[in-house]
Amino acid sequence: MKNSAPIRVFLVEDSLVALTILKRILASSPEVDVVGTAPNGVEALERIPAAQPQVICTDLHMPKMDGLELTRRIMTDYPRPILVISASVNTQEDSRNVFKLLQAGALDVFPKPSIDSLSDYEQVKRELINRIKVLAGVTVFTRHTSRATVEPRMHPVSSKSKPEPFSSKLVNNSQFPIRNSPSLPKVVAIGASTGGPQALYTILKQLPANFPVPILCVQHISEGFLQGLVDWLAAECFLRVTIAQPGEFPKPGTVYFAPERQHLQLDTQGRLTTVSTPAVSGHRPSVTALFQAVATCYPRSAVGILLTGMGRDGADGLQAIAQAGGTTIAQDEQTCVVFGMPKEAIALGAAQHILAIGEIAPMLLNRICYINSKHS
């Protein structure tokens, strides 16, 4: 069988050192071909039409035109999968700016390789090439700069107005029927990987500040970017968003993310714990590890949601929630950036509901806010 053509990649990077390292890494793989480079967004827009890349990798900070404006222009004029390759940042402003690129249409973030990271060269090479291979298979669509959207294949809420506090009015005419004798939901657990930040934004943006249960999240993301994700979501949403701290009882209206390199768990009293036990499904933190803990701590009263992502992490965990009597949701193929994790859960029969990303928050408002209002 004839080998398929290599993936055409265009690099936008103003640092000659970083560009040299990236070209060296990508040149080591026969599956990738660097078809062009540019030191800033202005020159990139001039060269991209002729280069016809399948994936574009861009830095955040560049002269003349930065990565954010470049991403907006690419998604308007030459829609392609975009990978943000940026140094993990320490300032809150830069952290948010990295995720504004995802909000503008970029699909993922990856730490910029440096001379210091060359000791981990093989790991960096493997992870970067794998990330490019995943994004090369993603279809993106033209977007218009006059509309604020979140992700090329999703249909999120565009209103910036504050959501109405939950009440039965929100759901009396809902398309999601209430079960005859529902258990009172006490927690929501969400897992995501590639495309997850945009999907999480879509869901969390629609929930009111007085959402009556805590939300626990695992997001697979390159090390160094978790705090930026949390800061971005906290600035954009009405819920409190934070990284989980061991010993804390999860509070309503708060979103807790698993820390980097730590599984997020719950102890026998329902307090948050974090552990450094081995990876599950190749990941730490693992979605399955969180879902299994939630199924044990909150049988019949947990809602599990598995979003876009590569691989199968979360599938077994979603099945555990379903078997414990909880409610389970998988994102549908049409709105996933990568239909891997939800597909595996659906194949197991673990997903009771398969929903477009824009339908998940309304279902939560139906199943949780309406039921809680009846029990209050």
Side-chain angles (χ1 to χ4, degrees), residues 89-367:
V89 288
N90 296 319
T91 69
Q92 192 173 59
E93 181 180 359
D94 278 354
S95 295
R96 291 180 185 174
N97 285 339
V98 166
F99 288 92
K100 284 181 181 178
L101 269 74
L102 299 189
Q103 192 171 355
L107 297 185
D108 206 352
V109 296
F110 190 83
K112 183 184 294 188
S114 65
I115 296 296
D116 294 337
S117 68
L118 291 185
S119 59
D120 303 318
Y121 178 79
E122 288 301 320
Q123 181 179 347
V124 171
K125 180 178 77 172
R126 182 171 58 253
E127 291 179 357
L128 177 58
I129 291 171
N130 183 62
R131 201 73 60 94
I132 287 172
K133 288 164 66 176
V134 169
L135 296 187
V138 175
T139 301
V140 297
F141 304 105
T142 300
R143 60 173 61 198
H144 304 289
T145 55
S146 59
R147 287 188 60 199
T149 54
V150 182
E151 197 283 321
R153 300 193 64 182
M154 299 179 183
H155 307 282
V157 172
S158 58
S159 172
K160 293 184 179 179
S161 60
K162 187 172 183 176
E164 181 181 352
F166 77 83
S167 71
S168 58
K169 291 190 302 180
L170 291 174
V171 293
N172 281 344
N173 297 317
S174 173
Q175 62 180 303
F176 307 113
I178 297 291
R179 291 171 176 169
N180 291 332
S181 300
S183 298
L184 184 64
K186 296 179 180 177
V187 69
V188 173
I190 306 177
S193 186
T194 307
Q198 303 94 317
L200 286 165
Y201 171 95
T202 303
I203 294 170
L204 300 179
K205 180 74 171 178
Q206 299 181 65
L207 301 180
N210 64 339
F211 190 68
V213 303
I215 300 173
L216 311 182
C217 291
V218 167
Q219 167 67 53
H220 299 162
I221 195 165
S222 295
E223 188 171 350
F225 289 100
L226 177 62
Q227 187 63 57
L229 171 64
V230 168
D231 291 343
W232 173 62
L233 290 173
E236 296 289 335
C237 304
F238 300 102
L239 300 165
R240 177 174 174 258
V241 186
T242 187
I243 297 175
Q245 298 297 318
E248 183 176 359
F249 284 102
K251 298 180 178 64
T254 303
V255 183
Y256 299 91
F257 276 88
E260 293 179 337
R261 296 186 178 183
Q262 300 273 306
H263 294 306
L264 180 57
Q265 306 272 269
L266 294 151
D267 66 16
T268 56
Q269 304 300 314
R271 290 173 297 201
L272 298 172
T273 64
T274 59
V275 296
S276 299
T277 50
V280 177
S281 301
H283 295 279
R284 190 179 68 198
S286 161
V287 179
T288 282
L290 171 63
F291 284 1
Q292 289 174 340
V294 164
T296 299
C297 191
Y298 295 95
R300 296 184 55 79
S301 59
V303 178
I305 304 171
L306 192 55
L307 302 177
T308 172
M310 189 74 173
R312 70 178 317 276
D313 186 27
D316 295 330
L318 201 70
Q319 187 176 50
I321 292 176
Q323 290 174 344
T327 300
T328 57
I329 302 167
Q331 186 178 349
D332 70 353
E333 182 175 7
Q334 288 70 33
T335 61
C336 278
V337 171
V338 180
F339 189 54
M341 289 157 46
K343 181 180 180 180
E344 293 291 338
I346 293 166
L348 282 179
Q352 299 162 358
H353 306 274
I354 304 169
L355 301 177
I357 190 64
E359 297 174 337
I360 294 176
M363 183 171 185
L364 291 178
L365 292 170
N366 174 267
R367 291 296 173 92

Side-chain angles (χ1 to χ4, degrees), residues 46-81:
E46 294 172 352
R47 300 171 188 175
I48 285 171
Q52 286 297 303
Q54 294 166 265
V55 176
I56 297 169
C57 301
T58 183
D59 190 10
L60 170 61
H61 294 296
M62 295 178 294
K64 297 184 180 179
M65 181 186 291
D66 65 11
L68 179 57
E69 180 59 25
L70 173 63
T71 296
R72 290 171 176 155
R73 294 283 296 274
I74 289 172
M75 296 310 299
T76 300
D77 300 331
Y78 317 108
R80 298 284 192 282

